[in-house]
Amino acid sequence: MPGHVDLFEEHGEVAALWPQSPYRGRTVVCFDRHLDLKPLAPGGEEALRAAARAGTSPAELLRRLPVRGVPGAFGLDDFWSAAALAAGLTDLVWVPSWTSSEGWESRAVGCVSLIATGGAPADPQTGDCCLAVTLCGVRLSVVPPDLLTRHLDRHVTGEVITDIDLDWLVDEHGAPDHSVDDLADLVAACGGELSAMTWSTRSGFLPGEFRGVGPDVAGRLGLRARESSFLPATPWPEDLMLRVHQGAGPPTLDERDEPGAADPASGVTVALQGLAHASASPAQAQECYERAAAQGYRSSWLAYKIGAAHYARGDQRAARDRLREAIALDPRDTLAMHARVLAARATLRLDGPGPALAEFRAVGEELPLRAGVWRTVRVLADALGDPENAQLARDRLDLVERLTRARTTGRSTGRG
C-alpha cells in the first residue's frame, strides 16, 4: 500500500483518480452503507463517452451538489455505473453494513431489486456467501462483512483494490454498526491497495462529528489520510441533508433566492428545503418545488416525496400527478421505480384493475427481482382471467424464491 490514501467529501469525487486506471483488471471491494449503483441520469452515458473520446477527466462531469436528476452528470448514487463506462470497472464486491443474520439473502435481493434493468438481470444467483448478479454493466457480488473472507477465497482471483465510504461505520443517526478496528481488519484481509475513502458528510449520511474516523481508519492501516476534496462550499446549512435523511425538519434558511434568479444552485437550495418539509406539509413542499423550478432546477426527488406524502394522506390523484412528474424527470432512477409502483397503486384505486395491471406489468419488466410487483401482477391477472400474465408473474416469483431461499449449509462465518 502507498503511504497515503485520498479522503474525499463525496463518492463521486473519486473519479478524479480514474485517469490512473486504478480499477482495470482488478476486483473492487467497496465498504458502503449504500450501493451506489443505479442507471445514470439522462445524458450521463453520452457525456461520459464524449469525455473519454476527448481525453478529459470524468471528474469534470461530477454533480457539484448531492442531489438527483442533474442531466449529463453523475455523483454519489450512480458512481459505480459511471465507473463501468469511464474507468474500466468490471467486478464489484459490495460489502454492506449489515451482517449475515437469518434472511440475509432476501435482504440482498431487496437491495438490488429497485435497480432498473430494462429486462431480466444477467445470471442472478445466491450461494453461501454472496448474491451475484450483473447490473449496469457491472458484475456485482453482495457480500455481508462476516462472509467476506470466505467470498474472497472462493470467488476472487487476481488483484483486489478497496474503496471505503465511512458511513459504513455509523448511520445518519450516529448509531455505530462497526468499529474502526473491524473495518481495518477487513480491509487488511482484502490485501492490495486502498484507493480512496469518502466522508459522505455533506450528503447527510455521516454526522459531522464522526469525520475523525477517516484519519483513524487510515492510521490503523499504517497510512496517512490526504484530504483531496475539490467540491465548492454548499449554499445551504451544513446539516440540511442530514436533517432530510433523518426526517428531522428543516433548519432556517436565508431567504436570499428570488424566483427569477434562474440560478440552478439557488434552485437546489430551495428544493432541499422542500425535501425537509415534504412529509409534514406537501403543500409547502410543492411551493418549494415551484420556486426551485423557476430558478432552473426541477427536482425528481422532491416531486417523488410530495407524491408519496399525498399518497399517504389518501389523495390518490394528486399523488399520481406528482409521482408521474418525478418519473418523467429521471425515468430510470431508483426513486422513479418507487414512484412507478406507488403511481400504479394509485391507478388501481382510481381506474380499477385493468389499467393497473398494465402499469404493474411495465414496472415488472424493469424490475424483474421486485417480488412485491410480481405478486401484484399475479393477483390482478388471476382476478382478470389473464393466464399469460399470471404465469409470467409466477415464473418471476419462482426466480426470486430461488434466490432468497435460506441455505441449509455454510452458515458459519469466516473462511470456508
Side-chain angles (χ1 to χ4, degrees), residues 185-257:
D185 288 344
L186 287 169
V187 173
C190 291
E193 180 184 346
L194 173 60
S195 64
M197 295 192 294
T198 301
W199 272 303
S200 289
T201 297
R202 74 185 242 142
S203 56
F205 293 111
L206 182 74
E209 61 265 30
F210 292 95
R211 288 174 69 90
V213 298
D216 288 350
V217 172
R220 176 65 173 75
L221 292 167
L223 301 171
R224 176 178 55 86
R226 181 174 67 181
E227 295 188 19
S228 302
S229 294
F230 53 83
L231 289 172
T234 61
W236 59 83
E238 192 170 303
D239 65 344
L240 178 56
M241 291 297 292
L242 183 62
R243 286 171 175 264
V244 168
H245 295 304
Q246 292 175 337
T252 300
L253 291 180
D254 294 334
E255 296 295 335
R256 295 169 296 180
D257 306 309

Side-chain angles (χ1 to χ4, degrees), residues 68-69 270-276 278-279 282-290 292-293 297-311 315 317-330 333 335-336 338-340 342-343:
R68 296 171 182 262
V270 177
L272 290 174
Q273 187 179 26
L275 283 168
S279 296
Q284 197 169 1
Q286 181 66 32
E287 180 183 341
C288 290
Y289 178 87
E290 292 166 2
Y297 178 65
R298 293 185 179 274
S299 171
S300 59
W301 189 7
L302 180 52
Y304 165 77
K305 291 281 283 186
I306 295 169
H310 282 302
Y311 185 90
D315 188 346
R317 195 166 300 281
R320 189 170 65 176
D321 288 346
R322 299 287 76 74
L323 293 166
R324 286 179 173 175
E325 189 160 5
I327 296 163
L329 288 167
D330 196 350
D333 188 271
L335 275 186
H338 272 298
R340 290 181 70 181
L342 282 184

Side-chain angles (χ1 to χ4, degrees), residues 32-39 68 77 92 94-99 103-117 121 126 130-133 135-136 140-145 333-335 337-338 367-371 400 403-404:
D32 196 341
R33 182 171 299 275
H34 313 95
L35 175 58
D36 293 341
L37 178 72
K38 67 167 192 175
R68 296 171 182 262
D77 46 1
L92 176 67
W94 173 46
V95 184
S97 55
W98 42 268
T99 56
W104 73 265
E105 300 95 341
S106 180
R107 187 169 186 177
V109 172
C111 286
V112 303
S113 67
L114 275 168
I115 300 174
T117 67
T126 49
C130 69
L131 163 69
V133 62
L135 293 167
C136 301
L140 170 71
S141 297
V142 182
V143 183
D333 188 271
T334 49
L335 275 186
M337 296 299 114
H338 272 298
L367 304 177
L369 299 181
R370 193 69 176 177
V400 176
L403 293 174
T404 58

